[in-house]
Amino acid sequence: MNEPVTLDALAVPMRVLRLLAADFGYLPAPDVDLSRIYPERLTLRFHEGLHAFEAWREALAVPPEKVAHGVQGDGATRVLKASTDYAGAEVHLIGYADVPVADGGAE
C-alpha cells in the first residue's frame, strides 16, 4: 500500500503561491489547484475571459509561442494553456473564454 501524501509534500507549490501573491498581487485572482497526485504543480485557472490569462502569462515571462490553443464544449469554449517553472514549482496557466457566436444573418 502506498504511503499517504502529507501536507508537507505540497510545500513547494504552496510557497510559490505565496510568492505569486506577494509579487503579483495586483493581477486578477485565479482559481487555484493543488494536487496530491502532482505535488510539484500549481495550476492557475481563469474563467472570465483570456485577459487574466494573458496578464499572468506576461508576468511569468511565458513566451506567446509556448501557449497551446484549443477548444472544448463542442467548440463553444476557447482554451489557452501554458506552463513554466517558477521558484521550484511547475506553474500551469489555463484560460477559458466563450467562442463568439457567428451571426448567421438569417432574418
Side-chain angles (χ1 to χ4, degrees):
M1 186 169 183
N2 292 337
E3 290 291 319
V5 175
T6 64
L7 188 59
D8 192 46
L10 301 175
V12 171
M14 287 193 293
R15 178 176 46 84
V16 167
L17 181 58
R18 184 176 176 198
L19 289 171
L20 292 175
D23 293 344
F24 304 112
Y26 58 90
L27 290 176
D31 291 335
V32 177
D33 291 328
L34 297 169
S35 171
R36 294 177 300 127
I37 298 168
Y38 302 105
E40 69 287 343
R41 183 181 297 174
L42 173 66
T43 301
L44 307 179
R45 297 180 194 275
F46 307 93
H47 295 273
E48 293 81 26
L50 301 178
H51 62 283
F53 173 92
E54 283 297 316
W56 278 94
R57 181 195 61 75
E58 288 179 10
L60 295 174
V62 177
E65 59 271 12
K66 298 287 185 176
V67 176
H69 304 264
V71 293
Q72 66 184 33
D74 292 328
T77 304
R78 183 174 178 198
V79 182
L80 298 182
K81 296 181 180 182
S83 298
T84 191
D85 292 327
Y86 189 85
E90 296 174 20
V91 178
H92 293 257
L93 304 174
I94 304 173
Y96 302 95
D98 293 335
V99 173
V101 177
D103 184 9
E107 295 186 37

